[in-house]
Amino acid sequence: MDATRFPHYHEHDNQNHNTMSRVTIDDLTKVYDSANGSIVAVDELNLTIDDGEFVVFVGPSGCGKSTTLRCIAGLETVTDGTITFGTKDVTEQKPKERDIAMVFQNYALYPHMTARENMAFGLKMSTDLDESEIDDRVKDAAHTMGIESLLHDKPKALSGGQQQRVALGRAIVRDPEVFLMDEPLSNLDAKLRAQMRTELQQLQHDLDVTTVYVTHDQTEAMTMGDRIVVLDGGELQQVGTPLECYHRPANQFVAGFLGSPPMNFLDVKADLEDGVLSHPGFALSLSESVTGQIERTELVLGIRPEHASLVSTPDAHPQSDRLIEATVTVTEPMGDVTNVYLDIGGESITVTTDGYPGVQADDTVSLLVPEAKIHLFDAETGTAIKHSDEPIDSTATEETTQFAETAGRS
Amino acid sequence: MTTPVTQVRNKLADIEIGRYLPLYNQLTEEQRYAYKLLLPGLVMMFIIHFIPIMWGALISVMGVDSAYTSNWYEAPFVWFENYQYVLDPRTVIGSRFWYSIRQTIIFAVGTLVLTYVLGLTAALVLNQRFKGRFAARTLLLLPWVAPAVVTLLVWRMMLQQQSGIINSILLSTGIINEPIYWLIGDNAIWSLILVHSWTQFPLVMIMLYAGLQSIPEQLYEAASIDGAGRWQRFRYITFPQLKPVSAVVILLMMLWTMINFTSAFVLLGSQPPQAGQVSILYIYEFAFSNFQFGRGAAMSVVLFAIAMTMAMLYYKYLFDEDFTEESR
């Protein structure tokens, strides 16, 4: 994929593309009226997406991510708030006036048109290019997507992956200001999805078009976006780079949503005088620097499976007083790693070890939970109090946090 | 204990169908099961459709007239004399028959256009979200659901030249100065098309409505993002997507109109004006009032052949590709 094959994309840059394609969402609210009362799908969402940025909206079903995308597209009317492209307020504009292209989950290719006609349709409708210019641009886009040989086929004759490529081709041929993608890979099989994931990233990088990508798949969220936007219940939970959201989650929801297997959570009580977190199965002493941040006693301890470890020689361990005894319930060998499920005082936690943990069900093991890696959340509000110290940027080890400003939102 | 049902079942099981139908042995168990399920329908089709068609074809080559009304099988074989007689445009009978065929085609095409336009419009309206659309759908189905004779007689009264309400309205609003003869003279065919379309358009409507409902919403969303306006969405999405169901509707409407007897007979009576004398009425009048059954049967076979030819041409040239592709 080479952007030089797309001369007209560079024209765009010359026209001061920069300020044009910044997407600003101000207090966006979408309320659906239904027979059982109104449902708030998006609740006062604020977000700025920079020109050329790849932003991924992620969250569980019904979190409002698709609704937000459809509001940006103009397919849904907005109850309150504004959406701005560059300096242009598009809130009341129809989709066709917004200069966007969208890729749908089930591709939404026009079944009665060939791949070529599908790709040419947008240009035919929204530009006054003549036939040969349209044809050239379709060929360019087809070349980029590697589907030149499929241009005469109708969607029915194409495989899922090929249809996906035509749908992407239909989007890029328009050369829009903003790409909107609504779970575009979720209908593909696992292998093809992984391949398309990298290909899409590369395509977006080459074309440098502002992209909003909606997914419920946290792998796509972690790997594809410049920034990810985590939503739940119509409310913004956190905006940040993937590693920020992973290692500095603003709250318990974000912490639990990103990561597979997910972060372990244990309800604990903090004894601030002695500096101890107590749980029916264990007590964990804390250093003063950590207890200083704690104001409440009802907390949730979070530890990622890969940050806890099993200790084979507990007696000789330098921190033997910090070890927690647990019983193995299940081991899940994945090949490269093994997930070990442990029982601590009746609660289940997961530890990811290397491929050969040397334990089996019903073994009693010692678990090390390093203080530096634990997360603490307010049990009532879920707000993060302490994070793990994992670096979130390959170039910096200092905590460059955006969580502090977003943490209060939840 | 064997019940009569099981006795019958055992008897049936003993019959070696393969001995009488060699092809039966080549079928898989599943195909045999399918044919058994089809059998009752096929038997009914055979009795109701196939036997009368064959019988009509047989009579069309026999000299069945008033002398043979009770013993038609004793009538002599005249082979194609009946056909020569009814198809000869130089005779009164022949020229009137050809004229009736022309009127039949006008009737079929006119009805087709009108029912399709009315049906599509109604279907598009019903496909919008508005309060009372379910009530509207039921109301719009009434002309088709109501007994045809009732609807047609009401129309016949409304279209009366002297006492009909339609002329009365047109006169009082000043649109016309003289009452129009709707059911007499050359207007008869247009009245017939109008009234028949009225009774038939709900069927077109409901089929197209079902077709509209099956068009994925996302196609419209994709099209509006691609920059298509309301009319362009109809032109490039709705209309092409309705093609398969339209193909069926058009074929059925055309054939059913060509062989429709009820509308023409009830609206125009047994002595219709010539313009309204579509083939099926002419055949009926000719055959049953003149006791010319052989020649009437010959006309029927000609009408049948014309209808089938039109259907075949239509299917082959207009819809073959898309039709088979969609149904694949």
Side-chain angles (χ1 to χ4, degrees):
Chain A
M1 251 165 285
D2 179 2
T4 54
R5 290 177 196 145
F6 269 100
H8 49 272
Y9 289 120
H10 292 284
E11 285 166 29
H12 229 315
D13 291 335
N14 298 338
Q15 294 161 8
N16 200 359
H17 200 209
N18 265 0
T19 54
M20 284 302 290
S21 319
R22 169 183 290 155
V23 177
T24 313
I25 299 169
D26 262 324
D27 285 333
L28 177 70
T29 301
K30 174 70 188 177
V31 180
Y32 287 105
D33 290 320
S34 77
N36 309 321
S38 53
I39 298 158
V40 181
V42 183
D43 195 0
E44 297 193 11
L45 184 78
N46 286 287
L47 186 67
T48 301
I49 302 162
D50 283 327
D51 179 60
E53 196 178 14
F54 194 136
V55 165
V56 178
F57 286 9
V58 68
S61 303
C63 72
K65 55 189 193 296
S66 283
T67 309
T68 309
L69 188 82
R70 292 169 59 83
C71 287
I72 300 173
L75 295 173
E76 300 280 352
T77 56
V78 170
T79 311
D80 209 355
T82 57
I83 297 167
T84 318
F85 287 2
T87 53
K88 186 177 59 177
D89 184 347
V90 298
T91 316
E92 299 297 325
Q93 281 188 342
K94 287 183 176 167
K96 66 172 183 176
E97 296 162 330
R98 299 191 183 197
D99 197 10
I100 47 172
M102 187 156 167
V103 180
F104 293 84
Q105 178 176 356
N106 53 8
Y107 321 131
L109 294 174
Y110 311 122
H112 50 278
M113 299 185 196
T114 62
R116 178 196 301 279
E117 288 162 346
N118 263 283
M119 289 167 71
F121 187 70
L123 294 175
K124 206 165 122 186
M125 291 295 118
S126 59
T127 67
D128 43 17
L129 297 176
D130 64 36
E131 287 284 324
S132 70
E133 282 174 300
I134 290 178
D135 205 46
D136 286 347
R137 284 179 67 164
V138 169
K139 272 185 192 150
D140 274 350
H143 184 67
T144 306
M145 295 312 304
I147 48 169
E148 292 125 304
S149 58
L150 309 174
L151 283 178
H152 295 288
D153 291 326
K154 286 190 178 175
K156 207 163 277 179
L158 304 174
S159 71
Q162 290 169 333
Q163 290 186 26
Q164 175 67 77
R165 283 171 182 279
V166 175
L168 283 168
R170 182 171 70 175
I172 65 172
V173 79
R174 297 271 312 282
D175 187 18
E177 278 191 43
V178 182
F179 275 136
L180 304 174
M181 306 199 180
D182 191 2
E183 311 213 12
L185 304 185
S186 49
N187 282 10
L188 301 177
D189 63 55
K191 197 178 165 194
L192 199 54
R193 199 184 312 161
Q195 184 195 332
M196 286 304 287
R197 212 163 59 208
T198 37
E199 212 168 305
L200 249 179
Q201 264 176 286
Q202 206 182 341
L203 182 71
Q204 198 274 339
H205 183 259
D206 290 344
L207 301 178
D208 198 27
V209 175
T210 312
T211 303
V212 183
Y213 186 103
V214 163
T215 182
H216 64 267
D217 179 323
Q218 45 128 338
T219 313
E220 287 174 22
M222 288 299 293
T223 55
M224 296 180 80
D226 296 325
R227 283 194 298 160
I228 61 183
V229 174
V230 185
L231 295 161
D232 185 41
E235 293 181 8
L236 183 68
Q237 302 297 314
Q238 185 167 10
V239 186
T241 65
L243 285 181
E244 260 169 25
C245 295
Y246 189 80
H247 291 306
R248 309 281 185 271
N251 55 43
Q252 196 183 339
F253 173 80
V254 177
F257 188 76
L258 297 176
S260 176
M263 186 186 280
N264 299 295
F265 294 118
L266 295 165
D267 289 324
V268 292
K269 276 192 177 19
D271 184 336
L272 295 177
E273 281 178 26
D274 298 344
V276 173
L277 292 176
S278 58
H279 179 267
F282 63 89
L284 206 62
S285 58
L286 294 174
S287 58
E288 272 181 34
S289 60
V290 176
T291 48
Q293 301 170 37
I294 302 173
E295 285 167 1
R296 296 193 191 218
T297 55
E298 304 291 320
L299 301 176
V300 174
L301 169 84
I303 180 79
R304 293 218 173 265
E306 66 271 28
H307 290 153
S309 53
L310 300 180
V311 177
S312 52
T313 52
D315 297 333
H317 197 270
Q319 288 179 295
S320 57
D321 59 322
R322 288 186 60 87
L323 296 181
I324 299 166
E325 283 223 331
T327 313
V328 177
T329 52
V330 178
T331 60
E332 239 179 30
M334 312 286 287
D336 54 343
V337 295
T338 298
N339 297 326
V340 181
Y341 294 84
L342 304 169
D343 180 273
I344 299 179
E347 286 188 74
S348 174
I349 80 160
T350 317
V351 175
T352 306
T353 67
D354 62 23
Y356 305 96
V359 295
Q360 57 189 31
D362 298 333
D363 283 358
T364 302
V365 295
S366 292
L367 178 71
L368 178 66
V369 178
E371 186 181 21
K373 305 297 180 195
I374 64 170
H375 298 253
L376 289 174
F377 304 97
D378 187 314
E380 202 180 309
T381 63
T383 311
I385 298 167
K386 179 204 176 295
H387 289 135
S388 89
D389 66 350
E390 283 290 310
I392 54 170
D393 189 339
S394 51
T395 58
T397 50
E398 289 292 304
E399 288 195 9
T400 52
T401 53
Q402 194 172 354
F403 82 89
E405 69 183 67
T406 51
R409 305 197 64 87
S410 58
Chain B
M1 192 182 84
T2 52
T3 63
V5 173
T6 46
Q7 284 176 12
V8 171
R9 190 184 289 168
N10 292 338
K11 273 253 164 65
L12 282 174
D14 288 342
I15 301 172
E16 289 174 52
I17 302 173
R19 255 174 63 192
Y20 309 104
L21 282 170
L23 277 174
Y24 188 78
N25 292 328
Q26 295 169 18
L27 299 176
T28 63
E29 196 53 42
E30 206 171 314
Q31 285 167 327
R32 286 178 193 180
Y33 184 60
Y35 276 110
K36 282 174 191 165
L37 291 179
L38 281 174
L39 198 61
L42 286 174
V43 169
M44 291 298 284
M45 287 276 289
F46 189 80
I47 295 169
I48 294 173
H49 290 294
F50 194 68
I51 291 181
I53 288 172
M54 286 299 113
W55 198 354
L58 179 63
I59 288 174
S60 77
V61 291
M62 293 170 77
V64 185
D65 56 24
S66 53
Y68 296 98
T69 44
S70 57
N71 51 347
W72 63 273
Y73 43 85
E74 286 174 6
F77 275 90
V78 297
W79 300 110
F80 294 105
E81 262 178 41
N82 287 335
Y83 288 95
Q84 274 176 2
Y85 184 78
V86 299
L87 290 177
D88 188 348
R90 288 164 302 182
T91 65
V92 175
I93 304 289
S95 71
R96 283 190 64 191
F97 180 59
W98 280 115
Y99 182 75
S100 79
I101 296 251
R102 196 191 89 147
Q103 294 306 91
T104 303
I105 290 170
I106 293 174
F107 180 39
V109 173
T111 303
L112 190 64
V113 171
L114 198 55
T115 51
Y116 193 83
V117 170
L118 279 176
L120 182 59
T121 311
L124 287 170
V125 170
L126 283 186
N127 203 34
Q128 307 294 315
R129 287 199 189 89
F130 62 91
K131 274 216 173 94
R133 59 202 281 243
F134 295 104
R137 193 170 64 193
T138 314
L139 276 176
L140 281 168
L141 272 176
L142 271 182
W144 189 63
V145 178
V149 174
V150 176
T151 318
L152 292 164
L153 286 178
V154 170
W155 270 104
R156 190 173 164 163
M157 285 193 286
M158 294 199 301
L159 289 169
Q160 290 295 332
Q161 186 250 344
Q162 289 292 329
S163 56
I165 191 167
I166 290 177
N167 270 347
S168 158
I169 291 175
L170 291 177
L171 282 170
S172 62
T173 52
I175 294 173
I176 54 170
N177 296 322
E178 291 287 311
I180 294 174
Y181 289 94
W182 293 104
L183 300 173
I184 303 169
D186 288 348
N187 286 332
I189 185 70
W190 308 116
S191 301
L192 180 59
I193 289 170
L194 175 78
V195 173
H196 186 61
S197 297
W198 171 258
T199 65
Q200 295 302 305
F201 91 88
L203 176 73
V204 178
M205 174 192 80
I206 211 73
M207 287 182 80
L208 292 177
Y209 176 66
L212 285 173
Q213 297 266 295
S214 71
I215 303 175
E217 185 64 26
Q218 286 208 325
L219 292 185
Y220 291 107
E221 295 186 343
S224 47
I225 284 177
D226 268 343
R230 200 176 249 273
W231 160 250
Q232 285 160 325
R233 288 202 294 275
F234 175 77
R235 161 79 181 76
Y236 293 105
I237 308 293
T238 310
F239 203 62
Q241 284 288 297
L242 284 179
K243 216 171 159 187
V245 63
S246 296
V248 176
V249 165
I250 289 172
L251 184 66
L252 289 180
M253 283 316 296
M254 196 167 73
L255 293 184
W256 283 348
T257 307
M258 286 183 80
I259 60 167
N260 179 278
F261 179 76
T262 321
S263 291
F265 187 71
V266 177
L267 190 73
L268 302 175
S270 54
Q271 297 289 322
Q274 209 184 354
Q277 200 167 44
V278 291
S279 295
I280 203 100
L281 269 193
Y282 181 62
I283 293 167
Y284 170 78
E285 188 210 324
F286 180 78
F288 287 89
S289 43
N290 302 329
F291 296 98
Q292 299 268 11
F293 298 112
R295 287 166 181 171
M299 289 183 188
S300 297
V301 171
V302 171
L303 182 64
F304 176 81
I306 290 173
M308 283 301 116
T309 310
M310 280 174 72
M312 270 175 63
L313 290 176
Y314 164 84
Y315 181 81
K316 197 167 159 60
Y317 291 106
L318 275 165
F319 277 105
D320 196 19
E321 185 202 343
D322 287 288
F323 202 43
T324 47
E325 195 177 302
E326 292 300 333
S327 54
R328 194 164 53 197

